[in-house]
Amino acid sequence: METREKIIIIGGGFAGLQLAKTLNNKNKKVMVLDRVNHHMFQPLFYQVACGRIEPSNISFPFRKIFQKSRNIQFRLTDVKEIDPFQNKVITDEAEFRYDKLIIATGCKTNFFGNKDLEGKAFGMKNTQEAIGIRNHILMTFEKLILEKSRSDDGNWNIVIVGSGPTGVELAGAFAEMKKEILPRDYPYMNFDHLKIILVSSTEKPLAVMSSEAQEKSEKYLKDLGVTFLSGEIVTDYDGDRVIMKSGKEIPSNNVIWAAGVTGNVIDGFSEEKLIRNRYIVDRYNKIKGYDNIFAIGDIAYMETPKYPQGHPQVANVAINQAKNLGKNLLKNNNDWQEYEYKDQGSLATIGKHRAVVDLPFIKFQGFLAWYFWMFLHLMLILSVRNKLAVFFNWMWSYFNKDSSLRLIISPTKKNGTLQ
């Protein structure tokens, strides 16, 4: 009897999930390992943080996804180390042997080694962090209405650091929340004092997009009342004040860090296998020096003539690297195809009827771009049920300028332990 090759995939993000789907019901034994039990649609985390959609609408349990698969298993575990010499993946609970290993662990928020920032500012790379932002922001207003004073100016400043898509989308969403929702929830509070501040190290927002997109997004932010601070680098945050390299300080108790990411590297490899916290891979996504260990997605660093500094850390790269590797794993080694990235464009939304789209063949902004953004993200959501749930919430918000999802959900303590 022929023994099927055993493939382990670490991580169930865009890259890991796509690879598993490509290998689904093929002549391979596949095991997916992840520290959480669900896939998360990260582009819409900011809407969870702003109370526009429920976390369950963009979260998909792995066991449900693979329920009908004949060859894919899932294990909920946190990988601690890889032993490439014995072909083992080591966790706290167990050890797993593999014939081929694919690392698809993605990225986490990069605080650039600043422990104060890491401990006191909010990142937004997983469901828990998005819910944490929502809880914290809503609790801020609950405290304010009890205090009935403006004694702490930090409560009235929401500071977002980083002007990439995540930063501008958050800023736009909070600005609309300030205008349309909060005055109805708290009718006796004056929200003219509330400031949404976007801090950018670049001169324009969305620095990786076209000049048209940058100019338009800056205009949209200003139209919404967002304070855009350009050319400013945040160096520290003590929980009360955001401190910048220029010497400026902003009082704030609500700081969201969207200024960069770094790879989720696993112990077991020497430093020479890494560049900027990403595994060095060849055009087949093999990690340098190994024939049976691969890395795909944000964690992979692949140099090509078109991308001599590596590919951008975006979902399109992750998904298509996974598709290419999956097809290669089902072929003989001699027939493998090299990966080539085809840039399909980028886009961002900055509030209702405000979005920017850069496609290879056309660039456009405004309400048409906003509809395009909504349609594309809706189509990328996995299940029909979730598509309908998100669509319903969007339509409800569109016509009513409101949502009913502003729940403060936080763990409670009993006898000193979380329940």
Side-chain angles (χ1 to χ4, degrees):
M1 183 180 294
E2 181 182 356
T3 303
R4 289 188 297 172
E5 185 176 53
K6 184 173 183 180
I7 296 173
I8 289 182
I9 302 169
I10 305 176
F14 284 117
L17 180 61
Q18 181 59 58
L19 178 59
K21 289 167 70 176
T22 304
L23 299 175
N24 187 33
N25 292 331
K26 305 298 183 182
N27 190 31
K28 306 284 183 183
K29 291 175 66 177
V30 180
M31 182 176 288
V32 178
L33 309 179
D34 203 301
R35 66 180 65 175
V36 297
N37 77 331
H38 56 278
H39 170 76
M40 301 166 284
F41 189 72
Q42 293 189 15
L44 293 183
F45 274 163
Y46 84 95
Q47 295 206 2
V48 173
C50 298
R52 293 191 174 189
I53 58 176
E54 289 284 11
S56 60
N57 293 159
I58 56 168
S59 304
F60 309 90
F62 290 120
R63 294 196 179 278
K64 175 63 177 176
I65 295 171
F66 304 131
Q67 204 171 59
K68 298 181 180 179
S69 176
R70 299 190 302 271
N71 70 319
I72 297 176
Q73 298 182 56
F74 170 74
R75 295 292 183 270
L76 178 64
T77 188
D78 192 0
V79 174
K80 298 299 182 184
E81 186 180 351
I82 294 168
D83 185 343
F85 304 103
Q86 298 189 55
N87 291 347
K88 288 195 305 187
V89 175
I90 301 166
T91 75
D92 283 339
E93 296 83 11
E95 296 181 355
F96 302 91
R97 293 191 175 272
Y98 60 84
D99 296 313
K100 285 190 171 69
L101 174 67
I102 293 85
I103 302 173
T105 47
C107 286
K108 59 185 176 181
T109 304
N110 189 1
F111 292 98
F112 302 97
N114 190 311
K115 295 299 180 183
D116 283 339
L117 281 168
E118 187 173 354
K120 293 166 183 172
F122 286 93
M124 201 175 64
K125 291 298 291 180
N126 56 51
T127 306
Q128 293 89 335
E129 288 180 335
I131 295 172
I133 292 170
R134 184 180 73 183
N135 288 342
H136 184 77
I137 298 295
L138 293 176
M139 278 302 301
T140 295
F141 300 125
E142 295 297 334
K143 290 175 183 177
L144 281 169
I145 201 167
L146 287 173
E147 292 172 1
K148 297 187 183 299
S149 71
R150 294 184 60 237
S151 57
D152 186 352
D153 288 339
N155 283 323
W156 291 93
N157 292 329
I158 298 176
V159 177
I160 302 159
V161 184
S163 62
T166 299
V168 298
E169 288 171 353
L170 265 174
F174 279 126
E176 289 190 328
M177 192 175 180
K178 168 188 171 180
K179 180 183 178 182
E180 305 288 354
I181 296 174
L182 295 176
R184 286 187 277 178
D185 279 3
Y186 305 92
Y188 301 108
M189 290 174 64
N190 183 4
F191 285 97
D192 290 340
H193 302 302
L194 179 63
K195 292 182 180 178
I196 315 299
I197 303 169
L198 182 62
V199 182
S200 173
S201 62
T202 57
E203 289 302 315
K204 299 288 182 182
L206 302 175
V208 298
M209 295 185 69
S210 66
S211 58
E212 297 96 323
Q214 293 175 33
E215 294 289 343
K216 206 70 173 180
S217 61
E218 185 177 17
K219 178 183 183 300
Y220 289 152
L221 288 168
K222 290 180 178 178
D223 289 346
L224 286 167
V226 174
T227 301
F228 179 65
L229 298 182
S230 63
E232 293 285 0
I233 298 174
V234 173
T235 58
D236 208 354
Y237 175 55
D238 62 6
D240 297 310
R241 296 169 303 132
V242 179
I243 302 164
M244 287 171 276
K245 191 174 182 180
S246 64
K248 292 181 182 177
E249 295 184 0
I250 305 172
S252 180
N253 303 327
N254 310 289
V255 177
I256 303 168
W257 188 264
V261 294
T262 186
N264 279 312
V265 174
I266 303 173
D267 289 341
F269 297 93
S270 61
E271 288 293 324
E272 66 180 16
K273 309 296 183 187
L274 301 169
I275 289 182
R276 296 195 292 275
N277 239 33
R278 301 166 74 181
Y279 296 108
I280 303 171
V281 300
D282 63 15
R283 296 291 294 274
Y284 305 106
N285 284 96
K286 286 183 183 177
I287 293 181
K288 178 182 177 182
Y290 298 99
D291 288 328
N292 67 334
I293 304 179
F294 304 78
I296 54 176
D298 291 351
I299 197 67
Y301 177 85
M302 179 191 294
E303 292 183 357
T304 69
K306 291 183 180 179
Y307 295 89
Q309 300 300 314
H311 294 103
Q313 291 166 292
V314 295
N316 186 37
V317 172
I319 291 168
N320 285 289
Q321 281 188 353
K323 287 180 179 177
N324 187 69
L325 178 58
K327 292 175 183 176
N328 283 339
L329 292 173
L330 297 172
K331 298 177 182 177
N332 295 322
N333 286 346
N334 295 333
D335 298 328
W336 281 30
Q337 296 292 316
E338 292 185 342
Y339 175 72
E340 185 66 66
Y341 175 50
K342 296 178 181 178
D343 187 1
Q344 296 180 357
S346 53
L347 64 168
T349 181
I350 312 100
K352 184 177 179 180
H353 291 169
R354 298 176 178 93
V356 292
V357 174
D358 286 352
L359 299 179
F361 53 88
I362 191 173
K363 299 175 178 61
F364 55 103
Q365 305 88 35
F367 74 92
L368 184 60
W370 185 71
Y371 289 122
F372 181 82
W373 180 94
M374 284 205 306
F375 174 79
L376 181 63
H377 282 74
L378 200 60
M379 291 302 100
L380 290 173
I381 292 173
L382 286 183
S383 73
V384 174
R385 186 193 72 83
N386 289 61
K387 282 181 171 70
L388 291 173
V390 171
F391 180 74
F392 176 80
N393 283 326
W394 283 354
M395 289 302 97
W396 184 267
S397 297
Y398 183 86
F399 290 110
N400 293 280
K401 299 180 181 180
D402 200 354
S403 75
S404 57
L405 306 176
R406 293 181 296 283
L407 306 179
I408 299 173
I409 303 173
S410 56
T412 57
K413 285 188 176 182
K414 186 176 181 179
N415 299 326
T417 60
L418 292 178
Q419 301 298 306

